[in-house]
Amino acid sequence: MNTVNDIFGKQLKILNIGLEQFADDLTSQGIPCIQLDWRPPAQGDPEAADLLSLLLE
Amino acid sequence: MVLKTVIRRGEYYDSGRLMIVTRTISKLEGIIDAAVQMGTALNKEALKRTGLLDKDSEGASVDDLMISMKGTGEGVESALVQLDALLNQSSSGLQDSEYRPKTIDSALKAEPGLNFAIISVPGRFAKNEAMKALQKGMHVLLFSDNVSIEEEKELKTFAVSHGLLLMGPDCGTAIINNVPLGFANKVRQGNIGVVGAAGTGMQEVMTLIHKHGAGISQAIGTGGRDLSVTIGGAMMLQGLKALNSDKNTDIIVVISKPPAPEVSDKILQFIKDECRKTIVVNFVGGGRPESIEACGAISASTLEEAALRASELAGHANGAPRMAEEDLDRIARDEAKRLNAGQKYLRGLYSGGTLCYESMLIVRDFVGDVYSNTPLNKQMKLLDSAAPCKHTCLDLGDDEFTAGRAHPMLDTTLREQLFEHEASDPNVAVILLDIVIGYGSHSDPAGVFADLVRKHKENARREGRHLIVISSVCGTEEDPQNSLTQERKLQETGVIVMPSNAAAARLAGKIVSYANSEERRL
Amino acid sequence: MNREEANQEVLKRLQDSEPWLVGIGRAIDVIPGMKKNLLLHAGPPIEWVEMCGPMQGAVIGALIYEGLAKDEEEARKLAASGAIGFEPNHEHQAVGPMAGITSPSMPVYILHNKKYGNYAYINLNEGLGKVLRFGAFSPEVIDRLKWMERVLGPVLKAAIEQSGGMDWKALVTQALQMGDDCHNRNRAATALFAKQMGQHLCKTGFSDDDISSVFAFINGNEHFALNITMGMCKSIADAAHNVEGSTIVTAMARNGVDFGIRVSGLGDRWFVAPANTPKGLYFPGFSEADSNPDLGDSTITETIGIGGFAMATAPALVSFVGGNYKDAVKFTLEMYEITGTENKNFKIPALDFRGTATGVDLVKVLETGSVPRINTGIAHKNPGVGQIGAGLVTAPMECFKKAARYMVEQKQNRKQNASA
């Protein structure tokens, strides 16, 4: 079984989803980080987001 | 002179970016004032206050981007042209040439070894992203708030059964493998592990530990609601288990506001039955010390004390200066004497929620319960959070102040406005200001407030008042802002800089209690 | 089949189709449902009165070419009278570039998807400048159309039949690796056609002058191969259409007013929204104010994974559309986010021979908020002026939302019927 301890001591490879400053801070310290170009699903349109979840059922 | 509003539907930009764009546009030629923000009620109120609201921005929805500008006709047109470039400009030039993946799946295609996700998207989208990340085997720092408790439970249940961390929701701080994540400080690596449900509480404890000369192995945030009955301390237990098994951790510090009693019991039971390491527990302002000690743990009543106890256990307790009680008294009396008769009240303007909470607890011993937007005593809840009354401590990081805008640790605008307001109030004696630095925070909060303090202390002096401003800097000299530089900037303008949040609150409490008692003597 | 399985089937058909150019025929003889008074047009259904300038111009030209009207005035009256039918090319197993008007007497290429048995048809590309597809209808345009009917069509037909047909997918695969995107840049494909067909064109038995004029025409028309490629794409997309439960897009088309899509699992229904206006570079003297909204069936190329989805393979094209190479790579990479697979045949050398993004998935479009990005020519909004520039345009998100709404309704109806 995996445990949380598995990540201790390992190189963190980080994906940042949201506020860019978090990625910038990590990059400035030389920590590998990818910034996701995140958009709200369905361009933030709540109707389309609902459709999406219904489609994916 | 023209006021122009452009509404862009369904466009998403993060609050940090919008803050920078607002600032840049406001400084353009021909622009008197500008704001580029999401259409939340809070932001519309801010527009109203600054005279930028019109019927277009009034009608904006939460998902719309409001671009409001006041200036000359040419200035406004020119600014609009530059707007797109600013909005889409990559903050670090390097990234511009790199393709940025749009989904977790395509990110994993580009970098299959991803093992950690930091998620700070708007709350209603956060759960799906967090679940996807967990399903792909990533640990998650969930910074987003406005995630429902049911969603939290679902996420944490999955995380626990898969040996993963789900730190959040509403968790801003963690340090894993000495990497500061979210709003966190650069601290020495060492053998003290921290697990906490209180972000700035963790920051305060960790930076004080650093000042003592000790260090941090891992700092695991659990999110503020983890110790509720529904969640039952799921991530707190997950974190405790992990630190308990970690060969690099000898001492564990637990920080949280008082948990629900049954959850508190569960945690303490675990500590008693399973923990082989020394545990220091600070249930800020709550938790019966006897029950904590009965489980073999050490009880600390303040964040400052928790840091001290842990550092002592680690063999370091020399760094952080502790002021002698008589010195504190002396300073308090001297300051209180300089107040004029009308100055009676204390106003705390906090960017850190736990720091605000701790201060209110400490100040209560001196002047009783204070008003707040997040009061200790329900009856002391302010009707209008932006209108302090008598003794008030405000938590500006609370949801009602942060909807659709960047956190006050990063965006000082609102706190600056409030400071100016409080500093001009003739009934105010003391203003408490926490200065939290580190990654994620404003690049120079002390500099921003030092200017304001200088200006307002001068105004006060001219009006026959003595304005007292007390601060503590939560950070280390290794933070980008450098705590030593920050402290110096504040001291130079007459701010009383205290070595910890607790000390600052104690001094403030003493001053206003002297001030009010002297009044009675007159 | 569930959505995953259905999509896998569609993606398979998009890639293992075997589209061959097998001949040329008269539209009325070979196009299913073609009639004397019927004109086919690009994009989703549209009536005469709603048509944009270039399309109306092309209709006028077609009616004059067919001998049904003698001049513009008569043609306009006839078009408005109700005596002429207007239907999408797509609904007749056909496609057409820009205005895309296909009329009964026009010679059309015949594409045969040998793997799945279906056919597709498309008229012959007239060249650049003042041409019918941009709405021109001057005597010179009509004369050229007549020449194409009398000479070009028959010569090509003879050569193609003699050769036994051309494996067009193999040709496009090569052209993509020679700097073509096969939508806005077709020079390599055109050259390959001439190279492969030369030996057959010479032995068609037509006069030296006629054969020479055909070669000269091909040489002067850098987009000659586009139409054949479009026919190929249509034959591939049609084979992948009508797989129940699939969310993969099998048609994208514009009529100069609206942009329409069709989805494999949603039958022949069009999901339509106002077309966007391309943004790019304009020829001297023209600007965005002169431009017509997006027009043409040529987005059938992106539909099967070439054209704009292969932008990174056509560097010469990029500056023409007003971008730089890095942008081209970024736009190309973005398309992988919204498609189901990477094409087994169509490879992009500049991306380490990565297969092109193939099979736009409705679900991924909604999830990511990214829409298909297309390179296109820009037409003047007035009939007969011609191409005024080239640029980039995106498919409207509303089309995908509409498709999703419909799909959800269908799902819910089925559930209700099942429990009834």
Side-chain angles (χ1 to χ4, degrees):
Chain A
M1 232 280 282
N2 296 333
T3 68
V4 168
N5 295 73
D6 293 341
I7 193 76
F8 293 164
K10 277 232 185 65
Q11 164 83 281
L12 293 185
K13 292 198 177 155
I14 302 173
L15 177 63
N16 188 46
I17 308 175
L19 300 174
E20 283 180 35
Q21 68 180 76
F22 293 149
D24 292 340
D25 287 337
L26 289 165
T27 309
S28 72
Q29 298 173 73
I31 315 275
C33 177
I34 295 185
Q35 172 70 36
L36 204 72
D37 183 14
W38 184 85
R39 301 290 147 99
Q43 294 179 329
D45 177 342
E47 192 217 343
D50 285 340
L51 287 174
L52 193 58
S53 48
L54 287 169
L55 271 181
L56 293 173
E57 258 170 26
Chain B
M1 198 45 50
V2 67
L3 166 60
K4 188 167 172 75
T5 301
V6 173
I7 305 288
R8 305 244 276 235
R9 312 231 104 92
E11 292 199 9
Y12 170 77
Y13 297 96
D14 81 44
S15 51
R17 167 65 56 89
L18 292 180
M19 190 188 75
I20 294 170
V21 172
T22 296
R23 224 186 287 145
T24 310
I25 299 267
S26 305
K27 296 202 185 111
L28 290 177
E29 199 177 317
I31 298 290
I32 294 175
D33 201 3
V36 181
Q37 309 175 305
M38 300 310 288
T40 62
L42 182 71
N43 287 340
K44 287 186 206 176
E45 268 169 52
L47 288 181
K48 192 166 176 190
R49 267 204 306 272
T50 50
L52 286 171
L53 189 72
D54 67 9
K55 64 171 169 45
D56 288 328
S57 34
E58 279 236 57
S61 82
V62 166
D63 288 312
D64 293 334
L65 184 67
M66 306 184 295
I67 301 156
S68 319
M69 296 193 243
K70 199 191 268 180
T72 64
E74 281 164 15
V76 167
E77 289 314 307
S78 160
L80 279 172
V81 165
Q82 298 184 51
L83 185 70
D84 272 298
L86 287 169
L87 282 170
N88 294 307
Q89 191 177 71
S90 182
S91 40
S92 70
L94 283 172
Q95 285 247 3
D96 201 34
S97 52
E98 293 286 313
Y99 176 72
R100 289 178 165 191
K102 291 184 156 41
T103 63
I104 292 177
D105 285 327
S106 53
L108 281 164
K109 257 201 226 169
E111 177 55 80
L114 291 171
N115 50 26
F116 213 101
I118 301 177
I119 299 175
S120 56
V121 299
R124 59 196 181 284
F125 304 112
K127 182 243 172 183
N128 281 341
E129 300 301 328
M131 188 53 98
K132 268 190 243 172
L134 289 172
Q135 284 167 340
K136 297 290 179 185
M138 294 189 241
H139 298 270
V140 173
L141 173 62
L142 182 53
F143 181 83
S144 311
D145 58 16
N146 286 309
V147 175
S148 78
I149 199 159
E150 295 79 25
E151 290 177 327
E152 180 175 350
K153 194 166 170 73
E154 200 186 323
L155 288 169
K156 284 182 174 171
T157 306
F158 187 96
V160 168
S161 60
H162 288 76
L164 295 167
L165 290 169
L166 188 300
M167 300 188 279
D170 207 9
C171 175
T173 303
I175 299 185
I176 303 293
N177 300 343
N178 202 226
V179 175
L181 300 167
F183 286 87
N185 305 88
K186 193 88 194 113
V187 294
R188 189 179 299 107
Q189 200 159 20
N191 63 350
I192 302 174
V194 176
V195 54
T200 42
M202 287 166 69
Q203 288 185 265
E204 175 85 343
V205 168
M206 293 194 286
T207 53
L208 289 173
I209 285 174
H210 174 96
K211 283 183 187 141
H212 281 298
I216 304 294
S217 57
Q218 307 286 352
I220 297 169
T222 66
R225 236 172 8 198
D226 193 63
L227 299 176
S228 62
V229 173
T230 313
I231 307 295
M235 207 40 58
M236 169 74 61
L237 287 167
Q238 179 95 312
L240 277 170
K241 282 190 193 135
L243 293 174
N244 192 43
S245 315
D246 178 36
K247 61 176 171 19
N248 295 313
T249 301
D250 296 318
I251 300 138
I252 303 173
V253 180
V254 173
I255 305 160
S256 147
K257 288 194 196 159
E262 60 211 76
V263 181
S264 164
D265 287 344
K266 200 170 158 188
I267 306 291
L268 293 174
Q269 195 64 42
F270 176 83
I271 290 174
K272 180 161 182 235
D273 295 340
E274 312 263 347
C275 280
R276 298 166 300 209
K277 315 216 168 158
T278 318
I279 320 267
V280 177
V281 177
N282 178 213
F283 288 151
V284 185
R288 313 131 274 165
E290 324 79 55
S291 57
I292 292 172
E293 269 144 30
C295 302
I298 296 168
S299 171
S301 58
T302 60
L303 300 164
E304 177 187 58
E305 196 188 342
L308 179 63
R309 294 269 159 276
S311 304
E312 281 169 350
L313 288 162
H316 297 270
N318 43 348
R322 251 214 107 154
M323 285 184 103
E325 208 55 28
E326 319 86 70
D327 290 333
L328 217 64
D329 268 338
R330 186 179 38 81
I331 297 175
R333 251 186 265 269
D334 287 346
E335 291 291 324
K337 276 206 192 80
R338 298 167 64 184
L339 296 166
N340 80 15
Q343 292 180 275
K344 302 189 244 216
Y345 298 127
L346 150 73
R347 300 280 155 85
L349 302 173
Y350 283 90
S351 59
T354 327
L355 302 179
C356 179
Y357 195 83
E358 181 180 65
S359 295
M360 290 196 290
L361 282 167
I362 290 170
V363 160
R364 181 164 61 179
D365 289 341
F366 295 94
V367 292
D369 276 321
V370 306
Y371 286 97
S372 175
N373 58 326
T374 56
L376 296 173
N377 178 342
K378 272 194 278 241
Q379 294 180 332
M380 300 300 282
K381 180 140 168 80
L382 285 170
L383 286 170
D384 175 2
S385 298
C389 148
K390 298 205 182 144
H391 302 301
T392 295
C393 282
L394 290 177
D395 171 10
L396 296 167
D398 190 53
D399 284 358
E400 74 174 284
F401 285 114
T402 56
R405 50 188 313 147
H407 196 277
M409 273 158 55
L410 173 62
D411 181 354
T412 54
T413 326
L414 186 59
R415 205 153 73 123
E416 289 175 60
Q417 286 167 6
L418 289 167
F419 179 87
E420 301 224 64
H421 187 261
E422 299 315 306
S424 316
D425 182 339
N427 296 126
V428 168
V430 178
I431 299 182
L432 271 167
L433 271 181
D434 62 333
I435 300 289
V436 183
I437 56 172
Y439 290 102
S441 286
H442 190 286
S443 59
D444 184 16
V448 166
F449 286 101
D451 285 342
L452 286 178
V453 167
R454 185 181 295 116
K455 175 173 119 186
H456 283 278
K457 276 175 90 81
E458 182 50 39
N459 288 350
R461 208 181 50 78
R462 267 190 267 114
E463 291 168 15
R465 296 183 280 124
H466 173 59
L467 178 63
I468 303 170
V469 181
I470 306 174
S471 263
S472 75
V473 175
C474 175
T476 71
E477 74 286 357
E478 290 183 34
D479 284 327
Q481 303 90 338
N482 191 337
S483 59
L484 301 173
T485 317
Q486 294 286 290
E487 286 172 355
R488 186 182 46 76
K489 283 190 184 179
L490 293 166
Q491 284 162 336
E492 278 169 4
T493 55
V495 174
I496 304 175
V497 177
M498 297 301 282
S500 70
N501 184 63
R506 270 200 307 278
L507 179 62
K510 279 186 198 278
I511 294 173
V512 283
S513 74
Y514 281 133
N516 285 291
S517 67
E518 295 206 291
E519 245 105 79
R520 272 186 253 123
R521 254 186 258 136
L522 290 167
Chain C
M1 270 195 269
N2 67 25
R3 191 174 56 87
E4 283 280 344
E5 289 165 355
N7 286 348
Q8 284 310 313
E9 177 61 24
V10 169
L11 294 170
K12 170 179 171 296
R13 295 187 194 181
L14 286 174
Q15 296 178 91
D16 69 7
S17 283
E18 292 168 20
W20 280 66
L21 172 63
V22 296
I24 291 187
R26 245 161 57 108
I28 195 162
D29 293 335
V30 297
I31 295 183
M34 195 59 182
K35 291 199 292 260
K36 225 167 55 114
N37 283 3
L38 177 63
L39 291 179
L40 305 181
H41 63 79
I46 189 165
E47 293 302 327
W48 162 257
V49 288
E50 305 166 310
M51 287 181 187
C52 65
M55 192 176 277
Q56 284 194 336
V59 166
I60 292 164
L63 292 174
I64 296 173
Y65 163 72
E66 293 288 338
L68 295 171
K70 70 170 174 349
D71 55 28
E72 179 182 348
E73 204 192 318
E74 253 184 50
R76 282 189 183 277
K77 255 176 66 185
L78 181 58
S81 70
I84 302 293
F86 299 102
E87 286 172 22
N89 282 306
H90 265 289
E91 291 176 10
H92 293 266
Q93 291 171 215
V95 278
M98 298 317 279
I101 299 298
T102 311
S103 71
S105 306
M106 285 183 181
V108 296
Y109 292 111
I110 302 170
L111 280 298
H112 183 205
N113 185 339
K114 290 192 179 176
K115 173 94 180 172
Y116 293 100
N118 59 306
Y119 287 85
Y121 309 94
I122 180 166
N123 59 20
L124 279 52
N125 192 292
E126 307 156 79
L128 303 157
K130 296 220 184 306
V131 289
L132 190 77
R133 72 177 183 282
F134 280 99
F137 50 81
S138 65
E140 154 197 290
V141 174
I142 310 299
D143 286 344
R144 189 189 302 111
L145 288 171
K146 292 279 182 204
W147 175 80
M148 288 165 74
E149 188 187 330
R150 248 186 336 99
V151 179
L152 182 66
V155 172
L156 289 175
K157 176 181 158 78
I160 292 166
E161 282 171 9
Q162 212 173 274
S163 73
M166 296 177 81
D167 176 351
W168 202 256
K169 190 163 93 173
L171 187 145
V172 164
T173 301
Q174 284 180 70
L176 288 171
Q177 298 195 22
M178 292 165 69
D180 275 4
D181 73 330
C182 295
H183 175 171
N184 271 85
R185 190 171 166 92
N186 300 281
R187 281 185 207 196
T190 299
L192 286 169
F193 177 88
K195 169 175 169 284
Q196 288 178 28
M197 277 289 125
Q199 60 185 296
H200 302 292
L201 283 161
C202 293
K203 287 167 80 173
T204 51
F206 285 86
S207 71
D208 282 355
D209 282 343
D210 280 344
I211 293 171
S212 178
S213 69
V214 167
F215 269 112
F217 180 81
I218 293 171
N219 190 38
N221 180 3
E222 61 185 53
H223 291 300
F224 175 85
L226 169 64
N227 291 35
I228 307 171
T229 299
M230 284 174 61
M232 171 194 85
C233 298
K234 175 64 172 168
S235 76
I236 292 174
D238 273 359
H241 189 61
N242 271 328
V243 175
E244 197 187 317
S246 171
T247 49
I248 305 285
V249 171
T250 44
M252 291 196 284
R254 318 85 104 206
N255 58 26
V257 175
D258 288 326
F259 193 112
I261 68 169
R262 278 175 153 183
V263 177
S264 184
L266 298 180
D268 289 337
R269 203 179 175 94
W270 286 100
F271 303 99
V272 164
N276 292 325
T277 301
K279 288 196 173 8
L281 286 180
Y282 289 89
F283 302 154
F286 296 107
S287 74
E288 197 172 326
D290 304 311
S291 58
N292 198 68
D294 208 19
L295 175 66
D297 287 329
S298 57
T299 34
I300 196 66
T301 53
E302 283 80 18
T303 305
I304 65 127
I306 58 178
F309 287 25
M311 223 191 290
T313 204
L317 178 59
V318 182
S319 48
F320 186 53
V321 300
N324 61 41
Y325 188 62
K326 276 204 195 119
D327 288 334
V329 172
K330 257 205 237 174
F331 294 150
T332 308
L333 290 175
E334 195 182 336
M335 295 300 98
Y336 290 100
E337 309 267 5
I338 59 171
T339 47
T341 193
E342 301 189 5
N343 203 294
K344 292 205 229 336
N345 304 111
F346 304 137
K347 306 280 183 168
I348 303 176
L351 298 181
D352 265 327
F353 292 91
R354 191 171 179 184
T356 59
T358 298
V360 175
D361 188 342
L362 172 63
V363 166
K364 291 189 178 188
V365 168
L366 287 175
E367 268 175 342
T368 61
S370 289
V371 284
R373 199 183 291 266
I374 298 148
N375 287 338
T376 185
I378 305 174
H380 197 288
K381 62 189 177 195
N382 294 337
V385 179
Q387 184 173 356
I388 62 169
L392 292 163
V393 74
T394 51
M397 178 57 85
E398 184 59 23
C399 296
F400 300 92
K401 284 193 206 169
K402 281 191 176 167
R405 254 176 245 141
Y406 181 72
M407 192 159 195
V408 166
E409 264 170 51
Q410 297 296 92
K411 249 184 151 186
Q412 287 169 340
N413 289 342
R414 274 200 299 274
K415 269 202 197 132
Q416 277 182 347
N417 292 338
S419 55

